[in-house]
Amino acid sequence: GHVNHTQSGSTKSVGGDLTYRFMKNLKASVGSNFALYKYDLYEQIEKEHVQTYYAKVSYSPWKPLKFNLAYEIEALDRDTFHTVKVAVSFTF
């Protein structure tokens, strides 16, 4: 359905993140956030009351090369979505 926006166009959200660096080139994060309103770019739909939990790992075996892995659970009133993102980047 359509989300009714506030008159100012603002939305409310709150979140937290905990990151630990295991070594100079390896770090992991876990966190959660809650948003009263969120626009999903992939599905191009508006979502209300979205609770998101995530875990991320970043590893760089060599300075220009970086591997990222992220897992996300998005819980709405009516559905739950699971997302896995894998990225490899090379900076030169």
Side-chain angles (χ1 to χ4, degrees), residues 16-87:
D17 182 275
L18 179 61
T19 301
Y20 183 76
R21 185 174 298 276
F22 292 94
M23 296 181 287
K24 183 179 178 182
N25 58 354
L26 175 65
K27 69 177 181 178
S29 303
V30 293
S32 178
N33 60 61
F34 175 80
L36 288 176
Y37 164 80
K38 181 178 179 181
Y39 186 77
D40 188 319
L41 294 173
Y42 295 113
E43 296 184 49
Q44 298 197 357
I45 58 172
E46 297 173 333
K47 298 178 180 178
E48 292 180 291
H49 304 114
V50 182
Q51 181 71 52
T52 304
Y53 302 95
Y54 61 86
K56 301 176 183 179
V57 175
S58 178
Y59 176 62
S60 181
W62 177 44
K63 187 155 179 114
L65 183 63
K66 189 176 200 180
F67 298 94
N68 292 307
L69 174 64
Y71 174 69
E72 191 173 279
I73 299 172
E74 191 175 82
L76 293 95
D77 292 335
R78 63 187 186 282
D79 277 321
T80 301
F81 297 91
H82 301 267
T83 306
V84 175
K85 297 176 186 175
V86 179

Side-chain angles (χ1 to χ4, degrees), residues 2-12 36-37 48:
H2 179 71
V3 177
N4 294 321
H5 302 280
T6 60
Q7 285 185 351
S8 67
S10 66
T11 60
K12 305 281 190 245
L36 288 176
Y37 164 80
E48 292 180 291

